[in-house]
C-alpha cells in the first residue's frame, strides 16, 4: 500500500469511490470525502459568524485599507487537519471535481444563510499565473466559482481578472510584505460598470491575495466586491 498524498492521489484516480483524505470506501450520499473526515472540517455555525471572523482577520492586517461588501467562508482551516489534506488534493492532487463539490456546498450555504438572497452580478475566481496553470492544468478557484455559480445561477467570469506577473511565494512573508509582493499583480478588464462582484478563492490566509485582486476589480469599475472562500485560515 502506498502512503502519503501521492498514494491517495493514485488511489483516487483508480478508485473514484474512495475518500480523498483517508481512502475509506464512500457510502451512499458521500461525495469525494467521507463523513468521518468531514466531521473534522470545523464548519462555521453561520455565514454571519464567518463574515465576522473574516472582517476581524482582515482589519487586523490591513486596517481600513481593504473594504469588502460581504464575505463568506465555510470552514475554519487548521494546519494538519483533514480539511487541509482535502484542499491539498484539490490543488495539487488533480482532484478537480472536489472544487465543484466545495463550491456547490458553499453556494447553498450562502443562499440559506442569507435568506435566499445573495446580491452579486458575476463571480470571479482568483486567477493562477499562466505558468502555474500549465503546471497544474486547472485553477481550483475557478472550479469552486463554477460550483457557486451553478447553485446561484450567476455567471462566472473566468477571464475578467488576470495575474500580470509571477509573484514570489507568499510563504514566510509578513502580511505587509505579502501585500507589497502582490501590489499590481492583478489586472481586470471588461468589468461592467458598477457590477457587484463575488471574488472566489480556496483559502483566505492573510487576505493579501483577495485585497490585491479586489483592488484591480474596483479600479476596473466594479461597484463592490464580496468575498467567498472554502476556508479561512485560523491564526496559528
Ligand atoms: Zn475519509
Amino acid at each position: 500500500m502506498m502512503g502519503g498524498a501521492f498514494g491517495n492521489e493514485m488511489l483516487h484516480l483508480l478508485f473514484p469511490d474512495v475518500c480523498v483524505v483517508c481512502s475509506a470506501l464512500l457510502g451512499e450520499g458521500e461525495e469525494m470525502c467521507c463523513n468521518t473526515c468531514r466531521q473534522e472540517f470545523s464548519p462555521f455555525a453561520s455565514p454571519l459568524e464567518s463574515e465576522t471572523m473574516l472582517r476581524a482577520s482582515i482589519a487586523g492586517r490591513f486596517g481600513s485599507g481593504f473594504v469588502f461588501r460581504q464575505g463568506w467562508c465555510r470552514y475554519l482551516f487548521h494546519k494538519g487537519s483533514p480539511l487541509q489534506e482535502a484542499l491539498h488534493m484539490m490543488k495539487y492532487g488533480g482532484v478537480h471535481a472536489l472544487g465543484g463539490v466545495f463550491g456547490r456546498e458553499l453556494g447553498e450555504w450562502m443562499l440559506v444563510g442569507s435568506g435566499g438572497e445573495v446580491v452579486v452580478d458575476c463571480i470571479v475566481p482568483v486567477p493562477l499565473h499562466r505558468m502555474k496553470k500549465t503546471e497544474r492544468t486547472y485553477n481550483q478557484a475557478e472550479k469552486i466559482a463554477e460550483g457557486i455559480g451553478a447553485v446561484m445561477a450567476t455567471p462566472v467570469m473566468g477571464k475578467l481578472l488576470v495575474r500580470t506577473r509571477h509573484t514570489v511565494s507568499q510563504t514566510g512573508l509578513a502580511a505587509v510584505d505579502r501585500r507589497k509582493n502582490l501590489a499590481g499583480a492583478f489586472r481586470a478588464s471588461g468589468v461592467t460598470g458598477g457590477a457587484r462582484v463575488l471574488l472566489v478563492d480556496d483559502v483566505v490566509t492573510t487576505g493579501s491575495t483577495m485585497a490585491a485582486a479586489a483592488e484591480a476589480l474596483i479600479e476596473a469599475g466594479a461597484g463592490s466586491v464580496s468575498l467567498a472562500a472554502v476556508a479561512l485560515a485560523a491564526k496559528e
Side-chain angles (χ1 to χ4, degrees):
M1 181 99 162
M2 290 174 292
F6 182 71
N8 282 355
E9 179 186 347
M10 287 307 295
L11 268 175
H12 188 78
L13 292 173
L14 292 169
F15 306 104
D17 292 342
V18 300
C19 171
V20 296
V21 178
C22 72
S23 305
L25 260 186
L26 293 175
E28 204 164 308
E30 291 179 341
E31 215 177 350
M32 312 294 289
C33 192
C34 79
N35 288 337
T36 309
C37 288
R38 271 184 175 275
Q39 270 164 19
E40 292 178 47
F41 276 11
S42 307
F44 281 102
S46 67
L48 183 64
E49 189 194 16
S50 86
E51 186 179 77
T52 305
M53 193 176 281
L54 181 62
R55 285 198 190 283
S57 168
I58 284 176
R61 290 184 166 103
F62 305 113
S64 56
F66 174 27
V67 177
F68 56 93
R69 188 168 182 273
Q70 277 182 289
W72 296 267
C73 300
R74 183 69 190 92
Y75 300 105
L76 188 61
F77 173 96
H78 299 278
K79 274 191 188 141
S81 63
L83 177 62
Q84 181 177 31
E85 175 66 14
L87 291 171
H88 184 90
M89 289 293 286
M90 173 177 72
K91 204 164 178 169
Y92 302 103
V95 188
H96 314 206
L98 199 52
V101 171
F102 276 131
R104 288 193 301 277
E105 183 192 45
L106 178 58
E108 279 159 17
W109 184 72
M110 288 165 70
L111 282 178
V112 169
S114 313
E117 259 186 80
V118 175
V119 187
V120 289
D121 300 311
C122 65
I123 303 175
V124 175
V126 169
L128 283 180
H129 190 270
R130 223 180 312 129
M131 277 163 68
K132 277 197 182 161
K133 195 163 177 176
T134 313
E135 282 165 28
R136 287 190 215 153
T137 72
Y138 69 99
N139 176 3
Q140 76 283 353
E142 195 165 338
K143 302 289 167 196
I144 298 164
E146 284 166 6
I148 299 173
V151 169
M152 295 192 182
T154 303
V156 175
M157 316 287 266
K159 299 199 178 354
L160 212 141
L161 190 64
V162 292
R163 239 179 236 260
T164 49
R165 58 188 170 80
H166 195 57
T167 46
V168 301
S169 172
Q170 296 279 90
T171 314
L173 291 181
V176 175
D177 297 325
R178 283 179 182 231
R179 193 151 195 208
K180 261 188 222 154
N181 182 35
L182 282 168
F186 296 95
R187 194 183 58 233
S189 56
V191 182
T192 309
R196 293 158 300 186
V197 177
L198 179 67
L199 184 61
V200 174
D201 208 351
D202 54 350
V203 182
V204 176
T205 307
T206 63
S208 316
T209 305
M210 288 290 211
E215 203 166 78
L217 287 165
I218 295 290
E219 265 172 31
S224 66
V225 176
S226 293
L227 313 177
V230 173
L232 173 64
K235 278 191 178 166
E236 302 288 339

